[in-house]
Amino acid sequence: MNLSEEKEVMLNLMAPSQSYNHTVLAHWESFISKVEGTKSHILIDGRSVDLASVIAVARHGASIGLNDNEMQRVSQSAKAVQASLEEGNVIYGVNTGFGGSADTRTNAVEELQRLLTRGLHYGMLMQPARHESQGDGGCPQDTISMVYGSLPLDDPVAATCMPESWARAAMMIRLNSLSSGKSGVQLSTLNSLVQLLEHDITPRIPIRGSISASGDLSPLSYIGGVMQGKPTLTAWAGNRRTGQRRILKANMALAEANIAPIELRAKEGLAIVNGTAMSAGVAALAMHEAHSQAILSQVLTAMSVEALRGTDESFDPFFSKVRPHPGQEESARNIYAFLGRSKLVHRSDGSEEASLRQDRYSIRTAPQWIGPVLEDLFLAHRQVMIEVNSVTDNPLVDTDQNRILHGGNFQAKAITSAMEKVRQGCQSIGRMLSVQCTELINPATSRGLPPNLVVDEPSESYIWKGTDIMIAALQSELGFLANPVGSHVQSAEMGNQALNSLALISARYTLDALDVLTQISAIYMIALCQAVDLRVMNLKFLEMFRNAMSRETHKAFEGLAENDEWLDRLEPILWAAFEKGIDQTSGMDSKNRFAFIIASLQPRILEVASSSLGVLVALKAWTERCSFLALEDYTLNRDSYILAPDATPFLGLGSRHIYCFVRERLRVPFMQEKTIRTPEPEAAEEKTDGSRNSQREAVDTPTVGSLMTTVYESMRTGALYVAVMKCLQEADGLESNSRAQQ
């Protein structure tokens, strides 16, 4: 396959699908097939790795191998380098120095490669438990840390070492790049990377130290050093499933797996370290999370519409028809589909007194807000995937025309560009969700939900007040993280690297931003489940009490006028006023609340009925009776619903999946104070030996934070995203059916 044919294959692979939805769905289907095993063995050919393959290998241990049919060109490129040297040509980094020192020359071409990788091991990398012995590593025994036994400021290992998934992603992408046959490396070097991945040996790489100019030199040098079996470097090794995972010196890790250390030949050290694989690997991990959060944000927005008794009018296709931004159109279509079959969507014509004719911005303008983010993610996905399937070292070998070219494919600005867009998108999504959550918790904006989303009496519970503060803290941090990284370039390496992309730093902070956004999503998801339960519980109460109120009204006032037609006119007036009173008094305790609402209805009755003594006497009795029945029905209904909460019959297609996952799979309950209250010490149980054991010891009571952590963890592992993508698949199916019928 010649160069033009290779380019066509790669561009076809990276060509955007018809829509953002299709891009995400295609990625998800590919990812599931690789993780679940139907296509778990991934062949590397240098040009056709998709995002799903990177995630499957980096995070789920999918098997990997080389496409033998494509490896002839690898050997050809290595021979081309050797032939050029024998002809006496000067090749950068092969018989010259590096960077600003490229004016030097040498004939010790193999030693030069070892010298290069050695010199790039400059990162700070703490070993586990080393901080416990401050005397090790040159620190005087009588330092202040030894005198006072100081605790570390953070987790020293996590603060200095990249996660394994980052390293595995980089190894796979570097393998893919070198497999293209343009880098002049031996096939044995590629096989070494395959063996490391297959034996789950992961180099420990310092988290800082790359400016992503001449690629990610230092981080990739640690991969190269482990491939050489250097005893000064370490790696994770051992079976993680049996708990035998541990850190070994590189030479011991290779020996344990019967992997021979590589001997670097001409250009090979440079080929390993001089590329964008580390930046691209972290960026690929970020893209997977970003896609999942972007789809989730639309499902949560649909759920917000239901919880806030909003309308689906805002998502009518007409708006996108007259303002045809593709992201806006897709987002509106998604949210509209997610609301399908919902019984909580409120369609208002504005006739209700003192009502908002339209929803607030946080849900009404959601498609216009999310749409540009989807378009940015769409482009970022393409940028990252082109980079994953590119050759990014220097110099490059063109075996078709028998030449070696010097250039700058290692400059990772494309990854910086992608990550800045993703990070700013995180801030936009987070802002929307945080505003929606605040409006949900605040009774002034929630359309009848109780303050702080309490199921208990408002004066006795403030269960969600703290989370409102947490949301503000997270969103503030997210706003800071949205600032650009690429504008902070510093000149480096004798001025040679005066332009440097900072791509790895940008990708790192993007993962940080996604982590913060995931926490916001977790909090809001539980809040929404709480809100829809409260909404459904309230609807069930209204359904129960309406008949009782009608019965008592007829019983109290029948026969007090020449005919009872006025009662037929009165009933809808009373009920509308009662429902409005319910919305306006959600902050009152039940006992006072219903007496207040029923008393406020008296003028409505007197406007229709005569003010005769009989009517006034009946009105007093009716007020007392309805107040009593309203409180009784409300209490009975609340107690009954708490025992078996189930909002699913009322929810739309999207909300139903999320609600069921949170309530059934994660077992996060409909929260009341009893849920999180630690049992009193006197509430004790008798042990078998006759002693008393308090329930404080016997019962593992959750906190609000621990329940939110459960949801957060389900996203970090990816489990919840299965439900999220199910929502998108159903929405896409509805759209396909709609088009087929047109």
Side-chain angles (χ1 to χ4, degrees):
M1 184 177 290
N2 60 39
L3 192 61
S4 61
E5 290 173 329
E6 289 179 14
K7 180 179 178 182
E8 182 179 356
V9 169
M10 188 179 75
L11 289 178
N12 286 337
L13 176 71
M14 298 310 125
S17 305
Q18 295 179 358
S19 67
Y20 178 75
N21 278 3
H22 292 165
T23 296
V24 174
L25 286 174
H27 160 62
W28 185 256
E29 289 165 7
S30 177
F31 169 67
I32 291 298
S33 71
K34 291 174 172 63
V35 171
E36 292 184 348
T38 56
K39 296 180 181 178
S40 59
H41 188 70
I42 298 165
L43 289 179
I44 299 297
D45 60 11
R47 60 179 177 272
S48 58
V49 167
D50 61 3
L51 179 60
S53 297
V54 178
I55 308 306
V57 170
R59 296 195 63 190
H60 300 274
S63 178
I64 195 170
L66 296 173
N67 188 335
D68 293 335
N69 296 329
E70 305 289 342
M71 291 303 110
Q72 182 180 359
R73 58 191 175 183
V74 173
S75 299
Q76 290 174 342
S77 72
K79 292 176 181 178
V81 171
Q82 192 61 40
S84 184
L85 281 175
E86 291 172 356
E87 292 172 2
N89 295 324
V90 176
I91 308 173
Y92 170 78
V94 178
N95 53 11
T96 77
F98 304 100
S101 301
D103 54 353
T104 63
R105 303 289 184 267
T106 182
N107 292 321
V109 294
E110 293 181 2
E111 176 59 25
L112 181 68
Q113 302 306 302
R114 292 189 287 272
L115 183 151
L116 170 65
T117 56
R118 257 197 321 269
L120 291 172
H121 299 332
Y122 56 69
M124 300 181 190
L125 194 61
M126 291 288 287
Q127 303 296 332
R130 180 173 179 174
H131 60 279
E132 296 174 4
S133 177
Q134 299 286 346
D136 187 20
C139 296
Q141 290 289 330
D142 58 350
T143 60
I144 190 170
S145 61
M146 288 301 296
V147 173
Y148 293 104
S150 60
L151 293 172
L153 294 171
D154 51 20
D155 182 333
V157 177
T160 59
C161 184
M162 291 187 187
E164 287 192 68
S165 60
W166 297 16
R168 287 181 60 83
M171 292 163 70
M172 180 192 184
I173 293 170
R174 199 78 207 107
L175 173 64
N176 190 52
S177 179
L178 297 177
S179 298
S180 67
K182 307 296 186 299
S183 301
V185 300
Q186 303 175 98
L187 186 57
S188 58
T189 300
L190 273 62
N191 284 325
S192 176
L193 274 170
V194 172
Q195 288 179 298
L196 289 182
L197 286 166
E198 286 295 278
H199 286 85
D200 202 10
I201 296 173
T202 309
R204 297 182 70 243
I205 304 173
I207 201 167
R208 292 182 174 86
S210 175
I211 56 175
S212 305
S214 186
D216 297 302
L217 293 168
S218 181
L220 292 174
S221 77
Y222 285 80
I223 295 175
V226 170
M227 293 168 69
Q228 296 172 71
K230 290 191 172 185
T232 51
L233 302 184
T234 56
W236 283 283
N239 193 322
R240 66 180 74 245
R241 292 179 176 83
T242 59
Q244 297 177 323
R245 198 72 173 159
R246 63 203 188 283
I247 294 174
L248 296 177
K249 292 182 178 181
N251 59 324
M252 296 175 62
L254 295 186
E256 191 175 85
N258 293 318
I259 300 174
I262 64 169
E263 292 288 339
L264 295 176
R265 304 302 182 191
K267 194 184 178 297
E268 288 197 310
L270 181 62
I272 292 171
V273 305
N274 184 210
T276 65
M278 197 77 247
S279 300
V282 179
L285 293 169
M287 284 308 313
H288 177 75
E289 295 300 306
H291 288 324
S292 301
Q293 283 293 312
I295 301 302
L296 175 61
S297 73
Q298 296 169 80
V299 181
L300 296 183
T301 295
M303 205 169 180
S304 305
V305 174
E306 295 175 278
L308 291 168
R309 285 200 321 188
T311 176
D312 58 3
E313 179 183 340
S314 310
F315 316 107
D316 191 285
F318 178 79
F319 293 106
S320 297
K321 183 178 180 181
V322 298
R323 191 178 189 247
H325 290 290
Q328 173 184 328
E329 182 180 4
E330 282 198 85
S331 181
R333 188 168 62 240
N334 288 344
I335 297 170
Y336 193 86
F338 296 151
L339 289 170
R341 302 179 190 173
S342 173
K343 297 178 182 178
L344 297 180
V345 172
H346 183 67
R347 294 173 177 84
S348 171
D349 60 4
S351 60
E352 299 96 331
E353 185 180 348
S355 69
L356 290 175
R357 173 58 184 90
Q358 53 193 8
D359 293 330
R360 288 182 169 83
Y361 279 28
S362 69
I363 55 178
R364 176 158 51 98
T365 68
Q368 292 82 358
W369 187 265
I370 299 173
V373 175
L374 302 187
E375 293 174 23
D376 281 346
L377 294 181
F378 194 56
L379 175 56
H381 178 98
R382 178 176 170 81
Q383 290 176 304
V384 171
M385 295 321 300
I386 288 176
E387 193 75 8
V388 165
N389 287 280
S390 294
V391 185
T392 58
D393 52 298
N394 177 60
L396 297 180
V397 182
D398 181 359
T399 54
D400 290 339
Q401 299 189 36
N402 194 31
R403 56 183 182 163
I404 296 177
L405 300 174
H406 296 75
N409 271 6
F410 46 67
Q411 185 69 268
K413 187 66 172 178
I415 293 296
T416 313
S417 173
M419 291 298 96
E420 309 284 70
K421 286 191 281 286
V422 173
R423 208 162 56 254
Q424 290 172 9
C426 288
Q427 189 275 337
S428 292
I429 291 173
R431 176 59 184 169
M432 180 187 71
L433 297 183
S434 64
V435 172
Q436 290 173 357
C437 190
T438 297
E439 291 179 358
L440 204 67
I441 295 170
N442 185 355
T445 54
S446 68
R447 286 179 169 163
L449 291 173
N452 304 306
L453 299 178
V454 298
V455 66
D456 305 284
E457 299 299 337
S459 68
E460 299 173 0
S461 178
Y462 307 92
I463 199 167
W464 284 91
K465 185 171 288 296
T467 56
D468 200 10
I469 299 170
M470 176 66 164
I471 284 278
L474 291 170
Q475 183 55 32
S476 297
E477 185 174 357
L478 199 52
F480 169 76
L481 289 170
N483 284 296
V485 170
S487 58
H488 296 274
V489 172
Q490 302 294 318
S491 184
E493 204 272 297
M494 300 169 64
N496 180 53
Q497 296 181 8
L499 290 180
N500 44 82
S501 69
L502 306 182
L504 180 55
I505 297 175
S506 187
R508 279 173 38 213
Y509 280 116
T510 302
L511 277 181
D512 286 346
L514 283 160
D515 179 44
V516 175
L517 177 59
T518 303
Q519 292 188 45
I520 292 175
S521 299
I523 294 171
Y524 190 36
M525 198 179 307
I526 297 184
L528 282 168
C529 290
Q530 182 85 359
V532 295
D533 270 325
L534 288 167
R535 191 69 78 189
V536 170
M537 185 184 78
N538 190 60
L539 288 175
K540 287 178 175 291
F541 159 67
L542 292 174
E543 182 182 4
M544 176 189 294
F545 180 64
R546 184 167 191 171
N547 290 333
M549 185 174 173
S550 175
R551 184 179 62 250
E552 291 301 320
T553 301
H554 278 272
K555 181 179 177 181
F557 299 109
E558 277 182 346
L560 294 179
E562 292 183 2
N563 61 67
D564 294 326
E565 291 182 1
W566 69 281
L567 284 176
D568 296 332
R569 298 195 307 272
L570 178 63
E571 274 199 70
I573 296 173
L574 285 180
W575 186 249
F578 181 80
E579 286 188 310
K580 184 176 181 181
I582 286 290
D583 285 352
Q584 294 176 339
T585 59
S586 61
M588 297 176 66
D589 285 357
S590 303
K591 184 176 180 180
N592 298 326
R593 180 187 189 187
F594 293 108
F596 176 83
I597 296 173
I598 297 299
S600 72
L601 301 180
Q602 290 178 346
R604 305 276 185 170
I605 296 174
L606 294 176
E607 287 175 2
V608 178
S610 63
S611 300
S612 65
L613 180 59
V615 169
L616 294 176
V617 171
L619 182 59
K620 183 176 184 299
W622 175 87
T623 301
E624 293 175 354
R625 180 65 177 163
C626 284
S627 298
F628 171 79
L629 289 176
L631 177 59
E632 182 179 57
D633 284 357
Y634 180 82
T635 304
L636 288 172
N637 177 74
R638 179 177 62 185
D639 293 345
S640 174
Y641 192 84
I642 287 173
L643 289 174
D646 182 14
T648 51
F650 294 80
L651 297 178
L653 296 176
S655 302
R656 193 172 300 142
H657 286 294
I658 298 301
Y659 178 88
C660 289
F661 189 91
V662 171
R663 289 285 185 257
E664 297 171 11
R665 174 80 177 272
L666 300 182
R667 304 183 69 82
V668 174
F670 182 32
M671 274 192 273
Q672 54 183 139
E673 283 296 327
K674 181 181 178 181
T675 308
I676 60 173
R677 181 184 296 124
T678 304
E680 297 297 327
E682 59 269 18
E685 295 178 346
E686 188 171 328
K687 295 182 180 179
T688 55
D689 61 3
S691 63
R692 305 289 287 179
N693 179 33
S694 73
Q695 288 186 17
R696 189 184 299 274
E697 299 171 355
V699 179
D700 184 14
T701 305
T703 64
V704 174
S706 67
L707 293 171
M708 291 173 178
T709 302
T710 298
V711 178
Y712 165 76
E713 288 175 343
S714 74
M715 283 185 275
R716 297 298 281 179
T717 61
L720 187 139
Y721 294 143
V722 176
V724 173
M725 293 304 165
K726 181 68 174 176
C727 297
L728 185 61
Q729 288 166 339
E730 290 185 358
D732 187 67
L734 290 173
E735 173 64 17
S736 298
N737 292 338
S738 175
R739 289 180 178 177
Q741 293 171 5
Q742 290 177 357

